[in-house]
Amino acid sequence: MAKQKRELNVAMVGCGFMGRAHSNAFRQVGCFFNVPYVLRLKVVCARDRSAVQEFAAQWGWQEAQTDWQSVIARKDIDVVDICAPNHLHAPIAVAAADAGKMVLCEKPLAMNFVEAERMAEAARNVPNLVWYNYRRVPAVALAKRLVEQGKIGQPYHYRATYPQSWGADPQRADAWRFRKPQAGSGAMGDLLSHSLDLALLLNGPIVELASILQTFVPEREVDDAVLLLARFANGSIGTFEATRFATGCRNRNYFEIHGSQGAVRFNLEELNRLDVFDCNDATEIQGAHNVLVTGPAHPYVDHFWPPGHIVGYEHTFVATLADFLESLAADTSFHPNFDDGAEVQKLLDAVENSANSRSWTSPVTVAEAGRI
Amino acid sequence: MAKQKRELNVAMVGCGFMGRAHSNAFRQVGCFFNVPYVLRLKVVCARDRSAVQEFAAQWGWQEAQTDWQSVIARKDIDVVDICAPNHLHAPIAVAAADAGKMVLCEKPLAMNFVEAERMAEAARNVPNLVWYNYRRVPAVALAKRLVEQGKIGQPYHYRATYPQSWGADPQRADAWRFRKPQAGSGAMGDLLSHSLDLALLLNGPIVELASILQTFVPEREVDDAVLLLARFANGSIGTFEATRFATGCRNRNYFEIHGSQGAVRFNLEELNRLDVFDCNDATEIQGAHNVLVTGPAHPYVDHFWPPGHIVGYEHTFVATLADFLESLAADTSFHPNFDDGAEVQKLLDAVENSANSRSWTSPVTVAEAGRI
Amino acid sequence: MAKQKRELNVAMVGCGFMGRAHSNAFRQVGCFFNVPYVLRLKVVCARDRSAVQEFAAQWGWQEAQTDWQSVIARKDIDVVDICAPNHLHAPIAVAAADAGKMVLCEKPLAMNFVEAERMAEAARNVPNLVWYNYRRVPAVALAKRLVEQGKIGQPYHYRATYPQSWGADPQRADAWRFRKPQAGSGAMGDLLSHSLDLALLLNGPIVELASILQTFVPEREVDDAVLLLARFANGSIGTFEATRFATGCRNRNYFEIHGSQGAVRFNLEELNRLDVFDCNDATEIQGAHNVLVTGPAHPYVDHFWPPGHIVGYEHTFVATLADFLESLAADTSFHPNFDDGAEVQKLLDAVENSANSRSWTSPVTVAEAGRI
Amino acid sequence: MAKQKRELNVAMVGCGFMGRAHSNAFRQVGCFFNVPYVLRLKVVCARDRSAVQEFAAQWGWQEAQTDWQSVIARKDIDVVDICAPNHLHAPIAVAAADAGKMVLCEKPLAMNFVEAERMAEAARNVPNLVWYNYRRVPAVALAKRLVEQGKIGQPYHYRATYPQSWGADPQRADAWRFRKPQAGSGAMGDLLSHSLDLALLLNGPIVELASILQTFVPEREVDDAVLLLARFANGSIGTFEATRFATGCRNRNYFEIHGSQGAVRFNLEELNRLDVFDCNDATEIQGAHNVLVTGPAHPYVDHFWPPGHIVGYEHTFVATLADFLESLAADTSFHPNFDDGAEVQKLLDAVENSANSRSWTSPVTVAEAGRI
């Protein structure tokens, strides 16, 4: 017998692409996971009244509002979810945390590390989450498990690329994502942030880096591409590349780790697959195992469909939310939270510093930064 | 401004794996597609009271019932959806159609062609659908479009395999799927039916065939595997293979068509991909285009996520339902319907006849069958 | 110190595509393998005098001749190698064997089983070889080793396709390969013969089969494509398909075996790869190992280049010849020999009989055939 | 009628892995290409008398010698080919050039740029070649052609990795390749040099770079891995990575170029393939063309086997030699020659400088270097 579930009223700020992905997760998490909460899609809030009304009707939100401050002030809201443009993350998150709400925020967490630290500080006493959803791709979670089990051994190389191509289309005018005041950065905050979050998860801290930030279209305010070399605390070395100008690639978020005992390779365009190389296989049949990560024995997927039935992009949001709610019930610490989001932001600042100074740069804390 | 949408009350009979996939579609179709109906998940019905209650709670059905006859009799039900074991398809569907309900039925439609024809006859005056969901895989719909546009030209070869491996596990006891009275057949009805439905869609009628039905485990009541050779009405020839004993394959529903102008290749384990060969490409760069079928310009996917964000298994049900509702609103004919389901059944009967008689066999109509 | 090597004088009949592949093997076998013979490229023989002279000059044959009978009659010839059109295999091979020469013959061995048996009989007392070269693809030899080691377990399914596309080109006029008197058959003898030879090697005898032989171009004398279903003596079942009309495929000689313990998959267009599935892998990393079969621990390749340096088509001929010469020195039986070639021919006759009679057919011996 | 061919007597210094690849090319170039020279394998020279004698016997060299100086002094030698360890390239090449011989030298050309310039200067008046053989992989030559035809458009990104794994094996003791006095460097000279040569060929000059040189095994004298970021003169940016510690990779020499009109992707482990993305394809079938580069219409391969019959590693040496001999006959300039080899060396010096100085570095000429 299912025991009584607690209701949580959710308010979401933003109703774009991410608003759809979040809404889907709020609607479906209880179907796929036996979470101890019932989520109510209470209010969706965005500036454009007719757009937000239409969105609310389509996704089943009870109310559509246009003023986020008043929404946050409401007593009947338990959770504030943020998927507005980047520059609004901090004000909304801080206000929501100050109002005692749980806060869920899209990535990148902030416009820079100082802002991110401020947000993390504000959210110290409320449950919080940053939507680095790719941690919950089943194949990525499997990679994490293999790393933890020592199946990769001592890591030597980390290689991440996140090539997209839509930026190369001169016709493309994706509003705020090309404007510095709202987006903060281009490929760096949008794509590299994902790669860095996964690197921190899978391979630990980066101690120094050298980078290039590149804008191919002169009139553009933000970077079109970013490259970097990195040294990790564990002794391995890595390369990162994120770009909106990689013709032929839609969303090829890829990483590969080579260690003394094995290797893993992942590509988001084939998100149900993980290539796993195991040095302990018999020599004559050594070769990357092309694993279809749909179970059995794989993370998350027993909650979705039987083995062999693939999952899609949105399942990563559903699984993230499920884990968050489990942590909430168990009163344990959830990751990635605002502190994790701030760690990524610290690296992004270092990337920018390195590119501007044309020199090797170490990520520094705000306190350290203050001393410099 | 969204205009007023008509409400449809749905009753679903069955609450297994397919019950979850159907429930998801009923819940989500209105989020992803702007359909002119609001679906109410009114009643779910299954024999095991506690299971159906738990299922109802998890998937948001308003009521859980155990007696399908009384559910069908209710005035407040508009749509009856059937995902009970195969032997129940006919009685439920006929009763529902007789009661004037729209009828949606899992595949294979029936236990045999005679039964399927009876069901099609009963459903002549009500909107009906058979859940051959793989027609709405975006990559499959793209293949269909390319065929229709003449991009394949005159077809020469059709090749379909549907290998799974779970049947080879002696520990596996998947209840009714191995029992002839409930399932009717094994790999044939379960897997080959999908391959035949796609072949009919993409390559047209089969005029004769020769087959093997194989049961590897002596005590099993149904076929573990089925093979066949086929001649199509369009002059092409084909091979089909479906099995539950293909070690290494989870769900590799695959087809390939070679024609005078091009070729297409699909594999359900990579359902977001279609390989397209175009004889009109410049010679030196001829090679299968590895198309990531997530838009732009691809069927269905603009309703889901932006290009490069892959979809999963359940989206095929959502898209099927969306098209059904569009047809309903437009009062046009929807496919695959019960007549289409019966065509598959006719072929399955021919497969069985051919295997039993060890001879080439042509599919025959019930009338013809009666004369024989 | 290398010990004294015996010299063998080779005469080759034919100077087309296969003549080049054979010449390369004769020239290079001693470089890559430490064989106990020195091969002398003594005479190449073909009808067109200027063509054969040019060929001899290019490939280093000492003499160019146009009359094969007189070449065979020469005392200074030890080995007769046949790569003339199919209808000449039998007369040349029998004459050469009668003259006490070792005989190497291109595949298919003969025009039919009766002829093949006659050749095998004639060659009973001379070393002989049929150039089913794909047995010595390193990946195929690895597959054979895995089968022998029990790594596949009890076989359930064998699936072979050999799709090419050049036949679909109406401009293509590849001389004798489309003419029945010289070629005997089309895709059947040319392509299916390879697939059947590999099936016999890897999965053992076929006990019955049903087939289609198809000619898409009305004026063509030979089959453009052939399909068959087969039952093997070991209880497994299989499908075969060979065609010259598979748009998009150049030379995709492919097979896949599924057994109770594992599976293997091969594709000649990626001839340095073998996909190996092992049911004994830990569940969460089960997936086909994509093995780059270039060593270490792989058949043949330590004779070529270091691991990771791929080999090409002609290496299969070099390795075949090396094994033949090793067998010759050790006085052991070499395979595939004329008896093996005749077994393939027996199956090809059965394929033709089945297609003509539209019925299941068992391969029969000549003696049995006589009784029928 | 073939006209009279000039004979060239070849002396080769070195008899290791590369000695085998070169010998094969000298033996076979005249079979596959109608070159206007006959090459005589006159002398092979190496320090170990018994090894070189055995090598000569196996590969058909007329003589085996141990003193390269005296070999170079001989009047009957036309061509000196160098595949001795790296530190011997310069003395042998300069002596050979001074003696008026044509000089063919393994890569990397030299131990550093100064030495390479000295070699290029010495060879100014004799035909010369550096064995950057991967330029003649048919797929790479096709990529070059596509770049030249403008099919890639304005390049944005260049990405090259050359991962191998044998260095990670602690048991591995590959003699001179780990010793600085003989090898000069590790992964840098061995692997990165290939990647840089291809980058210069396909994408033009590099104007500045930042790098990491990494030695994972403390006692090792040379780098195990090298990473770099680069800016090209054409405005594109790139990453390079070469390593002997990439578990799971045997020889995955890979590059990818993204431009405004298309993209190409290559991987040496699949050397018969080139992935080509064409922005001008119809939107719905845009996707990388997986081209099997075995003809028709592809570089070099019509000299080898018919379309669909793949070539291996050694064909790159054969094709390189064929082009060299064609240039020789036509008295045109051949590439890659010693000047090209020196350009790579200039970049390698810059890589080393950047790694040591931890700063962005521009490649400088010797003259410029002198001024610094």
Side-chain angles (χ1 to χ4, degrees):
Chain A
M1 194 62 249
K3 62 174 176 180
Q4 194 61 29
K5 298 187 175 194
R6 186 182 153 203
E7 293 200 1
L8 293 177
N9 287 327
V10 180
M12 183 173 81
V13 186
C15 69
F17 162 29
M18 280 303 112
R20 300 174 77 241
H22 293 199
S23 298
N24 181 76
F26 294 131
R27 287 175 63 91
Q28 297 300 91
V29 65
C31 299
F32 291 113
F33 292 80
N34 191 18
V35 290
Y37 299 91
V38 174
L39 301 185
R40 299 286 172 216
L41 285 71
K42 196 77 181 177
V43 192
V44 57
C45 178
R47 282 180 314 175
D48 180 328
R49 182 174 307 273
S50 102
V52 73
Q53 284 176 339
E54 190 178 341
F55 185 94
Q58 185 142 14
W59 285 92
W61 291 88
Q62 294 174 22
E63 299 175 37
Q65 299 291 350
T66 59
D67 174 38
W68 62 261
Q69 280 95 342
S70 62
V71 168
I72 285 177
R74 285 166 53 160
K75 289 240 153 50
D76 63 344
I77 298 298
D78 303 299
V79 179
V80 172
D81 178 57
I82 306 166
C83 48
N86 299 344
H87 70 300
L88 295 175
H89 290 186
I92 302 172
V94 170
D98 287 351
K101 315 297 189 193
M102 302 183 206
V103 195
L104 283 52
C105 186
E106 248 311 309
K107 44 62 54 182
L109 182 60
M111 300 289 276
N112 52 57
F113 179 50
V114 170
E115 193 179 86
E117 277 286 61
R118 192 157 48 82
M119 293 166 75
E121 189 53 42
R124 198 67 70 207
N125 296 313
V126 295
N128 59 84
L129 166 160
V130 57
W131 287 103
Y132 281 114
N133 59 306
Y134 293 139
R135 291 189 177 205
R136 263 78 183 187
V137 171
V140 173
L142 175 59
K144 170 67 173 164
R145 187 194 290 176
L146 295 173
V147 166
E148 286 178 342
Q149 291 171 343
K151 296 292 172 62
I152 309 303
Q154 169 65 31
Y156 299 128
H157 289 283
Y158 194 93
R159 188 180 309 119
T161 60
Y162 200 148
Q164 294 187 339
S165 54
W166 58 272
D169 179 355
Q171 305 307 315
R172 178 78 181 233
D174 199 345
W176 66 268
R177 287 183 192 273
F178 287 134
R179 286 194 221 109
K180 195 170 182 65
Q182 283 111 310
S185 67
M188 189 178 78
D190 192 14
L191 307 179
L192 179 65
S193 63
H194 273 303
S195 295
L196 291 174
D197 180 64
L198 293 185
L200 290 170
L201 175 74
L202 296 167
N203 204 39
I206 289 172
V207 293
E208 63 171 0
L209 56 84
S211 67
I212 290 179
L213 277 169
Q214 178 80 4
T215 303
F216 291 110
V217 178
E219 56 271 27
R220 233 167 240 175
E221 299 171 1
V222 295
D223 57 291
D224 290 321
V226 54
L227 311 184
L228 61 113
L229 304 182
R231 289 187 179 277
F232 288 83
N234 64 12
S236 65
I237 55 179
T239 59
F240 290 80
E241 178 175 358
T243 174
R244 291 167 171 171
F245 274 66
T247 328
C249 300
R250 289 276 175 218
N251 202 22
R252 205 171 72 194
N253 181 357
Y254 156 101
F255 66 80
E256 188 163 13
I257 314 175
H258 302 283
S260 57
Q261 301 302 313
V264 291
R265 185 169 52 214
F266 172 76
N267 170 1
L268 184 64
E269 287 182 0
E270 322 291 343
L271 81 77
N272 292 264
R273 295 276 180 187
L274 186 72
D275 282 329
V276 179
F277 184 86
D278 185 345
C279 295
N280 296 310
D281 281 341
T283 307
E284 71 185 1
I285 58 167
Q286 281 189 6
H289 302 211
N290 187 228
V291 182
L292 186 64
V293 190
T294 57
H298 294 140
Y300 301 114
V301 288
D302 52 326
H303 292 278
F304 298 117
W305 311 111
H309 295 78
I310 80 168
V311 300
Y313 170 70
E314 74 260 45
H315 295 79
T316 60
F317 291 89
V318 176
T320 300
L321 187 58
D323 278 353
F324 175 77
L325 295 173
E326 292 292 346
S327 289
L328 188 63
D331 198 21
T332 58
S333 145
F334 172 82
H335 297 279
N337 57 26
F338 279 20
D339 287 323
D340 299 305
E343 283 303 305
V344 174
Q345 222 71 43
K346 191 195 291 183
L347 287 172
L348 295 180
D349 277 14
V351 169
E352 204 162 2
N353 289 340
S354 172
N356 291 339
S357 66
R358 294 171 46 82
S359 65
W360 282 88
T361 303
S362 293
V364 289
T365 62
V366 170
E368 291 165 344
R371 286 200 302 274
I372 290 170
Chain B
M1 196 58 251
K3 61 175 174 181
Q4 194 61 30
K5 298 186 174 193
R6 185 183 153 204
E7 293 200 2
L8 293 176
N9 286 327
V10 180
M12 183 173 81
V13 186
C15 70
F17 162 31
M18 280 304 112
R20 300 173 78 240
H22 293 198
S23 298
N24 181 77
F26 293 131
R27 286 176 64 90
Q28 297 299 92
V29 65
C31 299
F32 291 113
F33 291 81
N34 191 18
V35 290
Y37 299 92
V38 174
L39 301 185
R40 299 287 173 216
L41 285 70
K42 196 77 181 177
V43 191
V44 57
C45 179
R47 282 180 312 175
D48 179 329
R49 182 174 306 274
S50 102
V52 73
Q53 284 176 339
E54 190 178 341
F55 186 94
Q58 185 142 15
W59 286 92
W61 291 89
Q62 295 174 22
E63 299 174 36
Q65 299 290 350
T66 58
D67 174 39
W68 62 261
Q69 280 95 341
S70 62
V71 169
I72 286 177
R74 284 165 56 160
K75 289 238 153 50
D76 63 345
I77 298 298
D78 302 299
V79 179
V80 173
D81 179 56
I82 306 166
C83 49
N86 299 344
H87 69 300
L88 296 174
H89 290 185
I92 302 173
V94 171
D98 287 351
K101 315 298 189 192
M102 304 184 203
V103 194
L104 284 51
C105 186
E106 249 311 308
K107 46 60 58 181
L109 182 60
M111 301 287 277
N112 53 57
F113 178 49
V114 171
E115 194 178 86
E117 278 285 60
R118 194 157 45 84
M119 293 166 75
E121 188 53 41
R124 199 67 69 209
N125 296 314
V126 295
N128 59 84
L129 165 160
V130 58
W131 286 104
Y132 280 113
N133 59 306
Y134 293 139
R135 290 189 178 205
R136 263 77 183 188
V137 171
V140 173
L142 175 58
K144 171 67 173 165
R145 187 193 290 174
L146 295 173
V147 166
E148 286 178 343
Q149 290 171 345
K151 297 290 172 64
I152 310 302
Q154 169 65 30
Y156 298 129
H157 289 283
Y158 194 92
R159 186 181 309 119
T161 60
Y162 200 149
Q164 293 187 339
S165 54
W166 58 272
D169 179 354
Q171 306 306 315
R172 178 79 180 232
D174 200 345
W176 66 268
R177 288 184 191 272
F178 286 134
R179 288 195 218 108
K180 195 169 180 65
Q182 283 111 311
S185 68
M188 190 179 78
D190 192 15
L191 307 179
L192 180 65
S193 63
H194 273 303
S195 296
L196 291 174
D197 180 65
L198 293 185
L200 290 170
L201 175 74
L202 296 166
N203 204 39
I206 288 172
V207 291
E208 63 171 359
L209 55 85
S211 67
I212 291 179
L213 278 169
Q214 178 80 2
T215 304
F216 290 110
V217 178
E219 56 271 28
R220 232 166 241 173
E221 297 172 3
V222 296
D223 56 292
D224 291 322
V226 54
L227 312 183
L228 61 113
L229 304 182
R231 290 188 179 278
F232 288 83
N234 64 12
S236 64
I237 54 178
T239 59
F240 290 80
E241 178 177 356
T243 173
R244 292 166 170 172
F245 273 67
T247 329
C249 300
R250 289 276 174 217
N251 201 22
R252 206 171 72 193
N253 181 357
Y254 156 100
F255 65 81
E256 188 162 13
I257 314 175
H258 303 282
S260 58
Q261 300 302 312
V264 290
R265 185 170 52 215
F266 172 76
N267 169 2
L268 184 64
E269 287 183 358
E270 321 290 343
L271 81 76
N272 292 265
R273 294 276 179 187
L274 186 72
D275 281 330
V276 179
F277 184 86
D278 184 344
C279 295
N280 296 310
D281 281 341
T283 307
E284 70 185 1
I285 58 167
Q286 280 188 6
H289 302 210
N290 186 227
V291 182
L292 186 63
V293 190
T294 57
H298 294 141
Y300 301 114
V301 287
D302 54 324
H303 291 277
F304 297 117
W305 311 111
H309 295 78
I310 79 166
V311 300
Y313 170 70
E314 75 260 43
H315 295 78
T316 59
F317 291 90
V318 176
T320 300
L321 186 58
D323 278 355
F324 175 78
L325 295 173
E326 292 292 346
S327 289
L328 187 64
D331 199 20
T332 58
S333 145
F334 173 82
H335 297 279
N337 57 26
F338 279 19
D339 287 323
D340 299 305
E343 283 303 305
V344 174
Q345 221 72 44
K346 191 195 293 183
L347 288 172
L348 296 181
D349 278 13
V351 169
E352 205 163 0
N353 290 340
S354 172
N356 292 339
S357 66
R358 293 171 48 82
S359 65
W360 282 89
T361 303
S362 294
V364 288
T365 62
V366 170
E368 290 166 344
R371 284 200 303 273
I372 290 172
Chain C
M1 194 61 251
K3 63 175 175 179
Q4 195 60 28
K5 298 187 174 193
R6 186 181 153 204
E7 294 200 0
L8 293 177
N9 286 328
V10 180
M12 183 173 81
V13 186
C15 70
F17 162 29
M18 281 302 113
R20 299 174 78 239
H22 292 198
S23 298
N24 181 76
F26 294 132
R27 286 175 63 91
Q28 297 299 89
V29 66
C31 300
F32 290 113
F33 291 81
N34 191 18
V35 289
Y37 298 91
V38 174
L39 301 186
R40 300 287 172 216
L41 286 70
K42 197 75 181 177
V43 192
V44 57
C45 179
R47 282 180 313 177
D48 179 329
R49 183 175 304 274
S50 101
V52 73
Q53 284 176 339
E54 190 178 340
F55 186 95
Q58 186 143 14
W59 286 91
W61 291 89
Q62 294 174 22
E63 298 175 38
Q65 299 291 350
T66 59
D67 175 36
W68 62 262
Q69 281 93 343
S70 62
V71 168
I72 285 177
R74 283 166 55 161
K75 290 240 153 50
D76 64 343
I77 298 297
D78 303 301
V79 179
V80 172
D81 179 57
I82 306 165
C83 48
N86 299 345
H87 69 301
L88 296 174
H89 290 186
I92 301 173
V94 170
D98 287 350
K101 314 298 190 192
M102 302 182 205
V103 195
L104 285 51
C105 186
E106 249 311 309
K107 47 60 56 182
L109 181 61
M111 300 288 277
N112 53 58
F113 178 49
V114 171
E115 194 177 86
E117 277 285 60
R118 192 156 48 81
M119 293 167 75
E121 188 54 41
R124 198 67 69 208
N125 295 314
V126 295
N128 59 84
L129 166 160
V130 57
W131 287 103
Y132 280 114
N133 59 306
Y134 293 140
R135 290 190 177 204
R136 263 79 184 187
V137 171
V140 173
L142 175 58
K144 170 67 173 164
R145 187 193 291 173
L146 295 173
V147 166
E148 286 178 343
Q149 291 172 343
K151 297 291 173 63
I152 310 304
Q154 169 65 31
Y156 299 128
H157 288 284
Y158 194 92
R159 187 180 309 118
T161 59
Y162 200 148
Q164 294 187 337
S165 54
W166 58 272
D169 179 354
Q171 306 305 315
R172 178 77 181 233
D174 199 345
W176 66 268
R177 288 183 191 272
F178 286 134
R179 288 194 218 108
K180 195 170 181 66
Q182 282 112 312
S185 68
M188 189 179 78
D190 192 14
L191 306 179
L192 180 64
S193 63
H194 273 303
S195 295
L196 291 175
D197 179 65
L198 292 185
L200 290 170
L201 175 74
L202 296 166
N203 205 39
I206 289 172
V207 293
E208 64 170 0
L209 55 84
S211 67
I212 290 178
L213 277 169
Q214 177 81 2
T215 302
F216 291 110
V217 178
E219 56 271 26
R220 235 167 238 174
E221 298 171 3
V222 295
D223 57 291
D224 290 323
V226 53
L227 312 183
L228 62 112
L229 304 182
R231 290 188 179 276
F232 288 83
N234 64 13
S236 65
I237 55 178
T239 60
F240 291 80
E241 177 176 357
T243 173
R244 292 167 170 171
F245 273 67
T247 328
C249 301
R250 289 277 175 216
N251 202 22
R252 207 172 72 194
N253 180 358
Y254 155 100
F255 66 81
E256 187 163 13
I257 314 175
H258 303 282
S260 57
Q261 300 301 312
V264 290
R265 185 169 53 215
F266 172 76
N267 168 1
L268 185 64
E269 288 183 359
E270 320 291 343
L271 82 75
N272 292 264
R273 293 277 179 187
L274 186 72
D275 281 329
V276 179
F277 184 86
D278 185 345
C279 295
N280 297 309
D281 281 341
T283 307
E284 72 185 1
I285 59 167
Q286 280 189 7
H289 302 212
N290 186 229
V291 183
L292 186 64
V293 191
T294 57
H298 294 140
Y300 302 113
V301 288
D302 53 326
H303 291 277
F304 297 118
W305 311 111
H309 295 78
I310 81 167
V311 300
Y313 169 69
E314 74 260 46
H315 295 78
T316 60
F317 292 89
V318 176
T320 301
L321 187 57
D323 278 354
F324 175 77
L325 294 173
E326 291 292 346
S327 289
L328 187 64
D331 198 21
T332 57
S333 145
F334 173 81
H335 296 281
N337 58 25
F338 280 19
D339 286 324
D340 300 306
E343 283 302 306
V344 173
Q345 222 71 45
K346 191 195 291 183
L347 288 172
L348 296 181
D349 278 14
V351 169
E352 205 162 1
N353 290 340
S354 173
N356 291 340
S357 66
R358 293 171 47 83
S359 66
W360 281 89
T361 304
S362 293
V364 288
T365 62
V366 171
E368 291 166 343
R371 285 199 302 274
I372 292 171
Chain D
M1 197 57 253
K3 62 176 175 182
Q4 195 58 31
K5 297 186 174 193
R6 185 182 153 203
E7 294 199 1
L8 292 177
N9 287 327
V10 180
M12 182 173 81
V13 186
C15 69
F17 163 29
M18 280 304 112
R20 299 173 79 239
H22 294 198
S23 297
N24 182 76
F26 294 132
R27 286 176 63 91
Q28 297 298 91
V29 66
C31 299
F32 291 114
F33 291 82
N34 190 18
V35 290
Y37 299 91
V38 175
L39 301 186
R40 300 286 173 217
L41 285 70
K42 196 75 180 179
V43 192
V44 58
C45 178
R47 281 180 314 175
D48 180 329
R49 183 173 305 273
S50 101
V52 74
Q53 284 175 340
E54 191 178 340
F55 186 94
Q58 186 142 14
W59 285 92
W61 291 89
Q62 294 173 22
E63 298 175 38
Q65 299 291 350
T66 59
D67 175 38
W68 63 262
Q69 281 94 343
S70 62
V71 168
I72 286 176
R74 284 166 55 161
K75 290 241 153 50
D76 63 343
I77 298 299
D78 302 300
V79 178
V80 173
D81 179 56
I82 305 167
C83 49
N86 298 344
H87 70 300
L88 296 175
H89 290 187
I92 302 173
V94 170
D98 286 351
K101 315 298 189 192
M102 303 183 205
V103 195
L104 283 53
C105 186
E106 249 312 309
K107 47 60 57 182
L109 182 59
M111 300 288 277
N112 53 57
F113 178 49
V114 170
E115 193 177 86
E117 277 286 60
R118 192 156 48 80
M119 292 166 75
E121 188 53 43
R124 199 66 71 210
N125 296 313
V126 294
N128 60 84
L129 166 160
V130 57
W131 287 104
Y132 280 113
N133 58 306
Y134 294 139
R135 289 189 178 206
R136 263 77 182 189
V137 171
V140 173
L142 174 59
K144 170 67 173 166
R145 188 193 289 173
L146 295 173
V147 166
E148 286 177 344
Q149 290 171 344
K151 296 291 173 62
I152 310 302
Q154 169 65 30
Y156 298 129
H157 288 283
Y158 194 92
R159 187 179 310 120
T161 60
Y162 200 148
Q164 293 187 340
S165 53
W166 58 272
D169 179 353
Q171 305 307 315
R172 178 78 180 231
D174 200 345
W176 68 266
R177 288 185 191 272
F178 286 135
R179 286 194 220 108
K180 194 169 182 68
Q182 282 110 311
S185 68
M188 189 179 79
D190 192 15
L191 307 179
L192 179 65
S193 63
H194 273 303
S195 295
L196 291 174
D197 180 65
L198 293 185
L200 290 170
L201 175 74
L202 296 166
N203 205 39
I206 288 172
V207 293
E208 63 171 0
L209 56 85
S211 67
I212 291 179
L213 277 169
Q214 178 81 1
T215 304
F216 291 109
V217 178
E219 56 270 29
R220 234 167 239 174
E221 299 172 2
V222 296
D223 57 292
D224 291 321
V226 53
L227 312 183
L228 60 113
L229 304 182
R231 289 188 178 278
F232 288 84
N234 64 12
S236 64
I237 55 178
T239 59
F240 290 81
E241 178 176 357
T243 173
R244 292 166 170 171
F245 273 66
T247 327
C249 300
R250 290 275 175 217
N251 201 23
R252 205 171 74 193
N253 180 359
Y254 156 100
F255 66 79
E256 188 163 12
I257 314 174
H258 303 282
S260 58
Q261 300 302 313
V264 290
R265 185 168 53 215
F266 172 76
N267 169 2
L268 184 64
E269 288 183 357
E270 321 291 342
L271 81 75
N272 291 264
R273 294 278 180 188
L274 186 72
D275 281 329
V276 179
F277 184 86
D278 184 345
C279 295
N280 297 310
D281 281 340
T283 306
E284 71 186 358
I285 58 167
Q286 280 188 8
H289 302 212
N290 187 227
V291 182
L292 185 64
V293 190
T294 57
H298 295 140
Y300 302 114
V301 288
D302 53 325
H303 292 277
F304 298 118
W305 310 112
H309 295 78
I310 80 167
V311 300
Y313 170 69
E314 75 259 44
H315 295 78
T316 60
F317 291 89
V318 176
T320 301
L321 187 58
D323 278 355
F324 175 77
L325 295 173
E326 291 292 347
S327 289
L328 187 64
D331 198 20
T332 57
S333 144
F334 173 81
H335 296 279
N337 58 26
F338 280 20
D339 287 324
D340 299 305
E343 283 303 306
V344 174
Q345 221 72 45
K346 191 195 292 183
L347 288 172
L348 295 181
D349 277 14
V351 169
E352 205 162 0
N353 290 340
S354 172
N356 291 339
S357 66
R358 294 171 47 83
S359 66
W360 282 89
T361 303
S362 293
V364 288
T365 62
V366 171
E368 290 165 345
R371 285 200 304 273
I372 290 170

